[in-house]
Amino acid sequence: MSDTKPTSGSDLTEAALFFHEHPRPGKLEIQATKPLGNQRDLALAYSPGVAAPCIEIAKDPQKAADYTARQNLVAVISNGTAVLGLGAIGPLASKPVMEGKAVLFKKFAGIDVFDIEVDERDVDRFVDAVSVLEPTFGGINLEDIKAPECFMIEAKLRERMNIPVFHDDQHGTAIIVGAAVRNALELAGKELSEAKIVASGAGAAALACLNMLVSLGAKRENIWITDIEGVVYEGREALMDEWKAKFAQKTDKRTLSEVIDGANVFLGLSAGGVLKPDMVAKMADGPLILALANPTPEIMPEEAKAVRSDVVMCTGRSDYPNQVNNVLCFPYIFRGALDVGATTINEEMKRAAVEAIAGLAREEPSDVAAKAYGGKTETFGPHYLIPSPFDQRLILRIAPAVAKAAMDSGVATRPIEDFNAYLDRLNRFVFRSGLIMKPIIQAASQDPKKIIYAEGEDERVLRAAQVLIEDKIAQPILVGRPEVLQARCERFGLKIRPGEDFEFVNPQDDPRYRDYAEEYFKCVGRKGMPPNAARTVVRTNTTVISALAVRRGDADAAICGLEGRFIRHLRDIRQIIGMREGAKDLSALSLLINSRGALFLTDTFVSENPSAIELAEMADLAAEEIHRFGIEPRAALLSMSNFGSRDTESSRKMREALDILWKRCPNLEVDGEMHGDSALSEALRERVMPDSRLKGEANLLLFPNLDSANIALNLLKVATEALHVGPILLGTAKPAHILTPSVTSRGVVNMSALACVEAQQGREIKP
């Protein structure tokens, strides 16, 4: 496959506009958290019942945390004066960014957000408008406000408000930079107090970073700042302010090139291309370069490494190691601050976040993380100074550290009494955050495999192929006529082209046809298929072509099923790719992702009435698959019987399957037979089986037959508005998945990533 083309600006713009408009405008909505199903509910939610909590809060304002959503509600506030790289585009135009920030708060830390865009540039009037909102919110996140006004606004709001006020552009970046510098200097064997630090850029983020480094132990006399006017020196008048002046040096040096000599750390928050290779050559041994300008860093990592092989790089980009991304910290800092009712976010809390992030990078990868990332987790070193923004352990390290720092520094109004219970609550949230697919996609991108698509001419496959290519998740091979692929790419406005960006197999004219036909006859010749018929099938059946490509090693995995009946595709996969060694049959696992988290169901598409032995095998294979997501499987065998309450053929089968599983998979947390509500509610389960081997909510549901599994899947999918990933075909010798005609292009991307991860681990076809 040829190298992929970079995404053009027009492609991204068109996709982003579509994303924001459909299926409904914007990225947020408000939902009720209490039922309003009858008159009594209404009486409790509003008049007259609502008077009771109002009276309690009037007596004790702290009760607002018990009776309202305030303590989990943050305001993301901007006046639109410094929006991303777009400048002062105004508050209304900044609203998509603020909504985006709200989504990150919710997804990463479970925090609710109102985005508030204030049409006011005057500092005092802006502060007046925001400060009176204190009764509504548990915290304020200031966003995209230009310097130096942002310094004044934050300082004044902190003085007037008794809740956390946090300017993320300043402090979020500063905290991550602090962690990166801490770890880089540890690798280099240097002390922060002795390090020479040179900064390019003197905006809000740069100055906050330098202040954070001073708080961590850096010396002001070792810090040099440059901006568009050159070196910040004593006596300079142009573009100076009181915050920048604190770092002014007594020197006659005037350019970045003059002050970079011997620097241990370069901090860039300015513009692309500012740091030249000859400047990098003059830095100290093992230098750390934080080139954080976006989208083009102050120097590209390749340029820096060409000059200095010992350089350690951080950028703001996701396509290089050590990405400095504010999402690493701000959701979790607020999570910890809100959970103890902090009145502010102070230096102690910010330093605690720095140490938590730096410490996580130095940790050994957990077993769960290793499984989630295909066994290829990064370890502490030059390419892993700071964790991935999608490391699921971030909330488990940062939020408790911040909460404890708030308690120790005396700003917590509701101290946590049981930290073990708190950690357990955070851990449960991790797997309800809607980020289930992220470890799979990241693992796939580490080693993209060749995935062949039987329905290559389908619009959903073509759209998915463009995403897979642009994000380097997989190398798509499309079965289709080249002229049709070309025409449809053009019709759908896609930039990818057959033969240039992706491989294809032309069913009408492919040089491998004879070899494929011979291989197919080997598979089916003794099953009633004569040679002429086999040759015809290889010309006309694209699923057969895809399966043969995987069997022969021309592709690593196959995706089919967007057209036609599932059972037909299953027959071809079974005949050509076959089953993995030791497997008795194939089965299908479906993943539903909704607001409760991830729920796996099996067998949803293949086995009509599996035996107890087959059910046990399904559970074993499903547990193996679930581990790929970094999730510990907790299985429930479902039945109309609840731990022996009914004695039927079906319930006896489920009990027998449980006995087999306890012997076959002693480490699997599994119990049954039980009702569906008992599987999802530990409280209900404990009423009938207090000593159940299953703890918490089950995330793997095993059904007694295909009818019950498929009906449950489709009901849950619609009733909970869940994202369906799958069906995931289990038990094949090599990865192959049969999707359904209702699958979306997003579903194709998700299943492609999973197939890629399966292929990375490798399976051999039986002779």
Side-chain angles (χ1 to χ4, degrees):
M1 178 178 171
S2 60
D3 292 337
T4 60
K5 298 176 181 177
T7 307
S8 71
S10 60
D11 289 344
L12 186 60
T13 298
E14 185 177 331
L17 291 175
F18 184 88
F19 176 86
H20 282 79
E21 184 178 358
H22 300 284
R24 53 190 293 188
K27 299 187 284 281
L28 299 171
E29 68 177 0
I30 296 174
Q31 291 187 355
T33 60
K34 297 294 191 293
L36 296 173
N38 52 48
Q39 186 60 41
R40 179 172 174 79
D41 290 343
L42 291 172
L44 292 171
Y46 197 53
S47 181
V50 74
C54 292
I55 293 169
E56 292 300 313
I57 294 169
K59 293 177 184 176
D60 179 6
Q62 289 293 324
K63 292 291 185 180
D66 299 323
Y67 299 130
T68 75
R70 178 178 184 263
Q71 206 56 43
N72 195 52
L73 185 62
V74 166
V76 172
I77 302 181
S78 178
N79 63 2
T81 53
V83 182
L84 300 177
L86 304 175
I89 61 174
L92 183 59
S94 78
K95 190 172 179 65
V97 179
M98 303 310 123
E99 284 190 356
K101 197 65 175 272
V103 170
L104 296 179
F105 267 109
K106 187 65 174 179
K107 285 291 186 182
F108 285 89
I111 295 171
D112 296 315
V113 166
F114 289 158
D115 63 289
I116 300 177
E117 293 73 35
V118 180
D119 191 6
E120 183 56 70
R121 293 195 176 198
D122 179 81
V123 169
D124 290 327
R125 287 169 61 87
F126 184 92
V127 169
D128 289 341
V130 174
S131 61
V132 295
L133 298 174
E134 182 169 340
T136 303
F137 298 102
I140 303 292
N141 186 93
L142 299 172
E143 189 78 12
D144 290 353
I145 302 172
K146 77 181 184 72
E149 287 89 336
C150 60
F151 302 122
M152 295 182 276
I153 287 171
E154 185 187 40
K156 288 174 180 286
L157 286 175
R158 287 172 62 119
E159 288 176 8
R160 291 173 60 171
M161 304 184 80
N162 205 36
I163 58 176
V165 177
F166 189 79
H167 186 208
D168 182 47
D169 296 327
Q170 295 180 57
H171 308 300
T173 303
I175 286 165
I176 303 161
V177 164
V181 171
R182 170 79 86 204
N183 280 344
L185 292 179
E186 178 177 314
L187 284 174
K190 294 184 176 70
E191 294 294 329
L192 182 55
S193 59
E194 300 171 356
K196 180 179 179 180
I197 301 166
V198 176
S200 173
L207 292 173
C209 289
L210 297 175
N211 284 324
M212 172 56 70
L213 294 176
V214 170
S215 177
L216 293 171
K219 299 292 179 62
R220 287 187 187 273
E221 57 266 29
N222 294 337
I223 296 175
W224 299 74
I225 298 180
T226 63
D227 60 12
I228 58 174
E229 290 290 329
V231 174
V232 173
Y233 61 89
E234 289 184 6
R236 197 182 101 172
E237 296 181 359
L239 290 181
M240 291 296 290
D241 55 53
E242 61 181 284
W243 298 276
K244 196 184 300 185
K246 291 190 298 185
F247 293 97
Q249 292 276 13
K250 187 174 183 178
T251 179
D252 58 0
K253 296 178 180 180
R254 295 294 182 265
T255 66
L256 176 60
S257 180
E258 291 178 276
V259 298
I260 197 72
D261 189 39
N264 302 107
V265 177
F266 170 81
L267 172 63
L269 283 153
S270 53
V274 167
L275 185 65
K276 307 301 181 185
D278 64 298
M279 299 180 191
V280 175
K282 295 193 289 186
M283 295 180 72
D285 292 343
L288 170 64
I289 294 177
L290 297 122
L292 306 183
N294 260 328
T296 305
E298 283 76 6
I299 188 169
M300 294 298 290
E302 297 86 355
E303 293 180 273
K305 292 181 183 298
V307 179
R308 296 286 297 273
S309 61
D310 61 340
V311 72
V312 178
M313 288 290 304
C314 295
T315 70
R317 294 171 50 138
S318 61
D319 53 347
Y320 289 101
N322 296 324
Q323 182 192 14
V324 175
N325 187 330
N326 288 6
V327 80
L328 268 167
C329 68
F330 74 80
Y332 317 120
I333 290 172
F334 269 97
R335 181 74 278 157
L338 294 175
D339 289 341
V340 295
T343 57
T344 187
I345 295 175
N346 56 27
E347 287 302 308
E348 291 88 346
M349 296 161 73
K350 288 186 280 187
R351 285 198 297 269
V354 170
E355 297 300 339
I357 294 169
L360 178 56
R362 295 193 296 266
E363 285 186 30
E364 290 294 322
S366 67
D367 290 342
V368 171
K371 289 170 184 173
Y373 291 92
K376 298 180 180 179
T377 52
E378 291 283 356
T379 56
F380 181 54
H383 298 293
Y384 193 71
L385 293 177
I386 46 181
S388 161
F390 294 96
D391 192 315
Q392 296 169 324
R393 297 169 294 172
L394 282 165
I395 192 172
L396 305 177
R397 302 295 184 273
I398 300 173
V402 169
K404 189 173 188 305
M407 292 163 57
D408 292 344
S409 60
V411 298
T413 61
R414 294 181 294 104
I416 293 170
E417 296 180 1
D418 186 344
F419 259 88
N420 287 332
Y422 180 57
L423 287 169
D424 183 61
R425 193 177 88 202
L426 293 176
N427 197 58
R428 289 199 304 273
F429 167 78
V430 165
F431 296 110
R432 291 184 177 180
S433 61
L435 299 171
I436 304 299
M437 286 303 302
K438 190 61 190 181
I440 296 293
I441 291 172
Q442 182 160 329
S445 65
Q446 292 177 358
D447 181 19
K449 295 295 184 182
K450 290 187 174 183
I451 313 294
I452 189 166
Y453 299 84
E455 294 87 5
E457 296 175 359
D458 189 285
E459 178 182 358
R460 293 163 293 177
V461 171
L462 289 165
R463 292 193 181 279
Q466 177 153 306
V467 173
L468 295 167
I469 292 167
E470 290 174 352
D471 294 349
K472 300 179 181 177
I473 296 170
Q475 302 176 49
I477 304 171
L478 275 54
V479 180
R481 296 158 291 177
E483 65 278 7
V484 174
L485 295 172
Q486 175 84 15
R488 291 188 177 180
C489 285
E490 293 174 0
R491 184 200 309 170
F492 302 139
L494 304 176
K495 299 302 181 184
I496 56 173
R497 294 294 181 265
E500 298 178 28
D501 303 290
F502 62 87
E503 296 179 31
F504 62 87
V505 176
N506 183 358
Q508 297 178 342
D509 181 21
D510 191 280
R512 295 166 289 189
Y513 166 71
R514 185 182 299 276
D515 294 335
Y516 274 41
E518 290 179 357
E519 189 73 29
Y520 183 54
F521 182 72
K522 290 179 184 177
C523 298
V524 298
R526 294 184 180 275
K527 297 177 182 178
M529 178 77 70
N532 287 341
R535 286 192 287 271
T536 300
V537 168
V538 175
R539 284 281 191 208
T540 58
N541 188 322
T542 58
T543 298
V544 167
I545 295 170
S546 300
L548 287 168
V550 173
R551 181 180 179 89
R552 286 168 45 83
D554 296 335
D556 300 302
I559 301 286
C560 61
L562 282 80
E563 299 172 5
R565 296 174 60 194
F566 185 95
I567 195 69
R568 177 177 65 81
H569 297 286
L570 181 66
R571 176 202 64 204
D572 295 332
I573 297 296
R574 196 193 299 270
Q575 287 180 337
I576 299 168
I577 294 180
M579 291 182 288
R580 65 191 290 181
E581 188 172 355
K584 295 185 180 300
D585 198 1
L586 303 181
S587 58
L589 176 70
S590 288
L591 164 60
L592 293 178
I593 304 173
N594 57 29
S595 58
R596 291 179 64 94
L599 190 63
F600 295 85
L601 296 79
T602 196
D603 176 4
T604 49
F605 281 90
V606 178
S607 301
E608 288 188 25
N609 188 23
S611 67
I613 293 176
E614 289 169 337
L615 281 165
E617 180 177 278
M618 287 178 197
D620 191 6
L621 293 174
E624 177 185 298
E625 198 71 37
I626 292 170
H627 274 125
R628 298 188 208 278
F629 293 85
I631 299 174
E632 284 298 329
R634 297 186 302 276
L637 293 153
L638 302 186
S639 172
M640 64 181 293
S641 172
N642 204 26
F643 295 102
S645 64
R646 297 284 296 272
D647 188 28
T648 65
E649 181 180 351
S650 173
S651 62
R652 288 193 294 271
K653 177 174 71 172
M654 302 309 276
R655 287 175 218 152
E656 184 182 350
L658 180 66
D659 289 338
I660 296 169
L661 273 171
W662 278 351
K663 295 172 185 175
R664 174 173 177 161
C665 309
N667 296 323
L668 176 63
E669 194 174 322
V670 58
D671 211 337
E673 83 289 5
M674 70 179 76
H675 288 169
D677 54 359
S678 294
L680 299 180
S681 171
E682 187 173 25
L684 290 176
R685 188 166 61 251
E686 284 185 342
R687 292 178 189 173
V688 293
M689 186 55 60
D691 61 347
S692 172
R693 296 194 187 186
L694 176 63
K695 303 301 178 186
E697 294 183 14
N699 54 26
L700 170 58
L701 305 181
L702 293 113
F703 294 83
N705 55 50
L706 182 58
D707 275 349
S708 57
N710 194 270
I711 290 168
L713 167 67
N714 288 295
L715 284 175
L716 284 170
K717 185 167 61 174
V718 174
T720 66
E721 297 182 345
L723 170 66
H724 179 213
V725 179
I728 303 165
L729 196 59
L730 304 177
T732 54
K734 284 193 173 183
H737 298 291
I738 307 166
L739 308 187
T740 62
S742 63
V743 71
T744 63
S745 61
R746 180 185 180 189
V748 176
V749 170
N750 285 335
M751 285 304 299
S752 301
L754 182 59
C756 183
V757 172
E758 292 173 335
Q760 288 170 355
Q761 299 178 1
R763 293 177 185 168
E764 294 299 324
I765 291 182
K766 294 185 294 182

